[in-house]
């Protein structure tokens, strides 16, 4: 017999349904592991940070870590995904208003401010990108997509504002800008550059990149 509309179970419209106690505890455990791993990756980089030390930092057993993550690589990717989403928001909020060049430099500078204290983590990201499987590389690119989207959106807005030529290759400009931004972490790691020095350098790099597509 078909269930009547009056007796049908209601469909929840809540996009974030309430978790039961067991689910909530699992979420808290997972977050504790992520926070401990983030601290160690940011302090030591990828290789020196062990699952044993991460578990100790989280105040739990290694078994509890493996109950949430298959291995250290998966844990690192989870930290990367979470941190890159946060950094993308920092860059977006830091862009502000004004000319395209200023918005781009402001966004990238905000990115340095938001990440310079986690320099070993960024070194680990770059180092692992050369030696990870294709599937891991694909996931890493997806994790940083939000960051490159900030760059490309600013550049497209520059076209709309008449500051950048209509025929500008936005995909290539975005790639070159991102590569320049990322490579500058080497200056901080090996030459001790401050955020102010990084900001000045990325400003000159952006000027060079935009010179060929500017309408002025």
């Amino acid at each position: 017999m078909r269930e009547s509309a009056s007796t049908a179970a209601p469909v929840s419209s809540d996009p974030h349904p309430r978790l039961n106690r067991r689910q909530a505890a699992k979420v808290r455990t997972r977050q504790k592991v992520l926070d401990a791993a983030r601290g160690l990756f940011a302090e030591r980089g990828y290789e020196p940070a062990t699952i044993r030390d991460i578990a100790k930092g989280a105040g739990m057993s290694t078994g509890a870590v493996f109950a949430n993550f298959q291995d250290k690589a998966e844990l690192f990717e989870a930290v990367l995904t979470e941190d890159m989403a946060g950094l993308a928001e920092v860059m977006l909020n830091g862009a502000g208003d004004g000319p395209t060049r200023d918005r781009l430099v402001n966004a990238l500078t905000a990115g340095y401010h938001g990440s310079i204290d986690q320099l070993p983590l960024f070194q680990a990201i770059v180092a692992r990108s050369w030696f990870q499987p294709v599937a891991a590389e694909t996931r890493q690119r997806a994790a940083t997509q939000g960051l490159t989207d900030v760059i490309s959106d600013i550049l497209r807005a520059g076209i709309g504002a008449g500051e950048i030529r209509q025929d500008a290759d936005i995909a290539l400009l975005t790639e070159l800008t991102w590569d320049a931004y990322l490579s500058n972490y080497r200056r901080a790691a090996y030459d001790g550059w401050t955020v102010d020095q990084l900001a000045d350098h990325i400003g000159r790099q952006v000027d060079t990149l935009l010179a060929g597509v500017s309408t002025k």
Side-chain angles (χ1 to χ4, degrees):
M1 181 176 178
R2 181 175 299 176
E3 187 176 29
S4 66
S6 61
T7 60
V11 178
S12 174
S13 59
D14 186 356
H16 303 290
R18 184 173 298 175
L19 301 176
N20 62 38
R21 296 178 68 178
R22 183 176 180 180
Q23 291 170 324
K26 186 171 183 178
V27 169
R28 287 194 298 270
T29 298
R30 177 183 172 86
Q31 192 59 53
K32 284 180 67 175
V33 174
L34 281 173
D35 291 342
R38 177 181 296 105
L40 282 175
F41 288 142
E43 177 187 343
R44 306 178 185 177
Y46 180 79
E47 293 297 340
T50 66
I51 289 292
R52 184 184 299 275
D53 288 339
I54 291 170
K56 183 178 179 180
M60 58 188 64
S61 67
T62 56
V65 175
F66 286 121
N68 287 273
F69 300 95
Q70 180 177 343
D71 52 27
K72 187 169 73 169
E74 182 181 346
L75 179 51
F76 182 77
E77 288 181 16
V79 170
L80 172 64
T81 299
E82 193 170 83
D83 281 21
M84 293 305 99
L87 189 58
E89 187 173 350
V90 167
M91 289 174 62
L92 180 62
N93 293 334
D97 300 317
T100 301
R101 184 267 180 195
D102 292 347
R103 294 190 65 220
L104 196 53
V105 174
N106 288 343
L108 298 172
T109 300
Y112 288 135
H113 273 289
S115 60
I116 198 65
D117 61 336
Q118 296 183 322
L119 192 55
L121 179 60
F122 272 78
Q123 288 178 278
I125 292 170
V126 175
R128 280 183 56 76
S129 69
W130 281 98
F131 302 104
Q132 61 191 356
V134 173
E137 170 67 12
T138 300
R139 291 192 295 271
Q140 181 169 312
R141 291 184 185 185
T144 57
Q145 184 67 49
L147 298 168
T148 55
D149 283 347
V150 172
I151 296 172
S152 60
D153 287 348
I154 292 174
L155 292 171
R156 289 193 183 93
I159 292 179
E163 298 174 359
I164 295 178
R165 293 202 322 255
Q166 292 286 335
D167 63 347
D169 189 335
I170 296 301
L172 180 58
L173 278 173
T174 298
E175 179 184 333
L176 293 172
T177 303
W178 171 247
D179 287 347
Y181 170 82
L182 203 58
S183 69
N184 288 340
Y185 282 101
R186 294 180 64 88
R187 304 283 190 174
Y190 294 106
D191 301 323
W193 279 20
T194 64
V195 170
D196 288 342
Q197 288 174 299
L198 293 171
D200 178 70
H201 195 64
I202 196 64
R204 287 184 280 116
Q205 289 170 314
V206 167
D207 288 337
T208 300
L209 290 171
L210 294 182
V213 296
S214 175
T215 58
K216 299 179 181 179

